[in-house]
C-alpha cells in the first residue's frame, strides 16, 4: 500500500467509486436537532436527510455503488429501495469502526476499488459537486472535505490499495490533516460541506436547496416551543 505522503499515480477520473454512508438507528439520530423540531419529527428528518444524500450519491456519474451501514430496519429498507446496499453495523464499536466495516464490505464485493466515506446528513448534496470532489480525490491516496465550520469532516476517500483510516467525530479536520489526508479545497462545494445537526444548519441547507425527501418534511419544521 502507498504511504499517506506519496502522491498517487492514478490520474484517471473515470473510475467508479464505492461510497460508504453510516446511519445510526433513527431513534438515536440527530438528537441536537430534536431539541427544536420535536421528537416525533426528528427521526423522520434523519431518514429524509439520508435518503436525499444517498439519492444524490447514486446519481453521481463517478459513483458505482453506495453501501449504507445501519442497524435500523426502516432506514435500511428505505435506502435499499433507492438502490443502495445495506450492511449491518457488525463491529458495533462506533462511527469509525462502522466506516471501516463498510469499506471492507465494498472491497470484498467489488475488489480493491476506491472508497469514500460520506456523511448521511447532507440533504442539499449535488451530484455534480460530489463528482468534482471524487475526481479531485482520485489523484491522492486519501483526501477529505471539511464541514462548513471547518472543524469536522463530511467526506473522506481512499484510493485503491489504501486504507480509509477514518477519524470522524468532533475536530476531525485536524485529525485527518495530521494523518496525511489532503484537504479538498475546490470552490463551489457548499452542498458537500453542509451537514445538518441543528435548526440553524437545517435553515442553511434549505437555502442551498434540499432534496425531495427533506423538502416534503420541512414545511412543518418549527421550534417545538412555538407549537
Amino acid at each position: 500500500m502507498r504511504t499517506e505522503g506519496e502522491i498517487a499515480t492514478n490520474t484517471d477520473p473515470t473510475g467508479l467509486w464505492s461510497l460508504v454512508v453510516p446511519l445510526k438507528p433513527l431513534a438515536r439520530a440527530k438528537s441536537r436537532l430534536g431539541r427544536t423540531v420535536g421528537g416525533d419529527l426528528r427521526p423522520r428528518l434523519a431518514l429524509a436527510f439520508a435518503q436525499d444524500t444517498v439519492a444524490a450519491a447514486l446519481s453521481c456519474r463517478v459513483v458505482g455503488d453506495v453501501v449504507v451501514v445501519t442497524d435500523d430496519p426502516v432506514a435500511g429498507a428505505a435506502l435499499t429501495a433507492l438502490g443502495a446496499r445495506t450492511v449491518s453495523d457488525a463491529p458495533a464499536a462506533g462511527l469509525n469502526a462502522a466506516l471501516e466495516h463498510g469499506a471492507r464490505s465494498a472491497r470484498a464485493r467489488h475488489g480493491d476499488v476506491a472508497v469514500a466515506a460520506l456523511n448521511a446528513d447532507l440533504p442539499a448534496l449535488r451530484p455534480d459537486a460530489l463528482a468534482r470532489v471524487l475526481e479531485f480525490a482520485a489523484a491522492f491516496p486519501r483526501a477529505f472535505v471539511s464541514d462548513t465550520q471547518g472543524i469536522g469532516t463530511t467526506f473522506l476517500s481512499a484510493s485503491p490499495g489504501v486504507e480509509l483510516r477514518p477519524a470522524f467525530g468532533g475536530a476531525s479536520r485536524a485529525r485527518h490533516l495530521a494523518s496525511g489526508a489532503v484537504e479538498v479545497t475546490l470552490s463551489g462545494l457548499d452542498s458537500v460541506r453542509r451537514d445538518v445537526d441543528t435548526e440553524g444548519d437545517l435553515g442553511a441547507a434549505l437555502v442551498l436547496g434540499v432534496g425531495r425527501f427533506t423538502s416534503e418534511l420541512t414545511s412543518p419544521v418549527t421550534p417545538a416551543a412555538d407549537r
Side-chain angles (χ1 to χ4, degrees):
M1 291 187 177
R2 292 186 294 272
T3 61
E4 259 65 81
E6 180 183 351
I7 299 299
T9 57
N10 176 22
T11 57
D12 176 12
T14 63
L16 295 182
W17 289 73
S18 287
L19 300 193
V20 180
V21 177
L23 183 61
K24 289 180 181 178
L26 297 177
R28 295 192 285 109
K30 296 298 154 194
S31 58
R32 292 169 61 194
L33 188 60
R35 297 169 192 168
T36 55
V37 302
D40 293 339
L41 184 57
R42 175 187 51 77
R44 295 169 60 204
L45 280 171
L47 177 56
F49 297 164
Q51 287 173 297
D52 284 328
T53 300
V54 168
L58 287 168
S59 297
C60 179
R61 62 181 180 272
V62 293
V63 171
D65 74 328
V66 175
V67 179
V68 177
V69 183
T70 187
D71 284 334
D72 191 293
V74 172
L79 297 170
T80 298
L82 293 178
R85 182 169 62 91
T86 59
V87 297
S88 64
D89 182 7
L95 173 59
N96 292 308
L99 290 170
E100 290 173 338
H101 173 60
R104 287 193 298 269
S105 175
R107 286 175 167 169
R109 187 181 183 93
H110 299 293
D112 192 16
V113 294
V115 296
L118 187 69
N119 284 10
D121 58 352
L122 303 172
L125 183 64
R126 302 289 194 273
D128 285 349
L130 179 59
R132 292 177 61 226
V133 169
L134 292 168
E135 288 165 352
F136 180 98
F140 301 95
R142 291 168 66 241
F144 73 96
V145 175
S146 64
D147 63 13
T148 302
Q149 290 75 29
I151 297 171
T153 305
T154 61
F155 166 97
L156 174 70
S157 67
S159 61
V162 176
E163 294 179 2
L164 188 61
R165 295 179 56 202
F168 284 79
S172 59
R173 175 181 180 270
R175 291 194 296 273
H176 286 134
L177 274 174
S179 75
V182 173
E183 184 166 11
V184 181
T185 57
L186 300 171
S187 62
L189 299 184
D190 290 351
S191 75
V192 187
R193 302 179 66 200
R194 179 73 275 168
D195 55 353
V196 176
D197 290 313
T198 67
E199 184 185 13
D201 295 339
L202 179 55
L206 291 173
V207 170
L208 287 174
V210 296
R212 68 181 181 92
F213 295 100
T214 302
S215 180
E216 289 172 358
L217 296 179
T218 49
S219 56
V221 175
T222 56
D226 294 341
R227 295 181 182 178

